[in-house]
Amino acid sequence: MRLALALLLLGLAACDAAPPRADPKGQQLRAELDQMTRDYAACVDKRAATADVSIDPAGSIAIEAVKACRPLRGALRLKVASFDRLGHPNHTPNQAEAVAEASVGVIEKELRETAVVTIVKRQNLTR
């Protein structure tokens, strides 16, 4: 009797598995943000790694590398604003834009600093 009950319970457990949970919009937006951030970083890194480093100072070259990737920065800023509005529905559009600009500004600063380091290393190899 116990064996039959155990087999019945195992059979029901196998048949009634819960369907996979749908991915919430926030997780999807977060994944998109992560990919866009990686793309932006890759753009700046590539520009810093391939720029002519023989004439201009490293800071100027890094600024130009960041400027060349402005379209990716703009798209990232828009996505961050969307993410902010999802998490903070009471934020006004201006508040969401301010949060997005500040967030992307922090990323941009880090990318520029990393680009300067890369460029200085390249300049030191050519001297």
Side-chain angles (χ1 to χ4, degrees), residues 21-78:
R21 187 174 155 195
D23 189 27
K25 185 168 177 84
Q27 290 176 346
Q28 178 186 352
L29 275 174
R30 181 61 177 195
E32 292 172 12
L33 277 173
D34 290 345
Q35 184 59 52
M36 292 175 83
T37 302
R38 284 190 296 272
D39 292 345
Y40 182 35
C43 178
V44 174
D45 290 346
K46 180 180 176 186
R47 296 287 181 154
T50 60
D52 178 9
V53 296
S54 62
I55 299 172
D56 293 324
S60 297
I61 298 169
I63 289 170
E64 291 304 313
V66 170
K67 281 183 183 177
C69 301
R70 280 259 162 96
L72 294 171
R73 183 195 194 282
L76 179 60
R77 188 181 52 74
L78 290 174

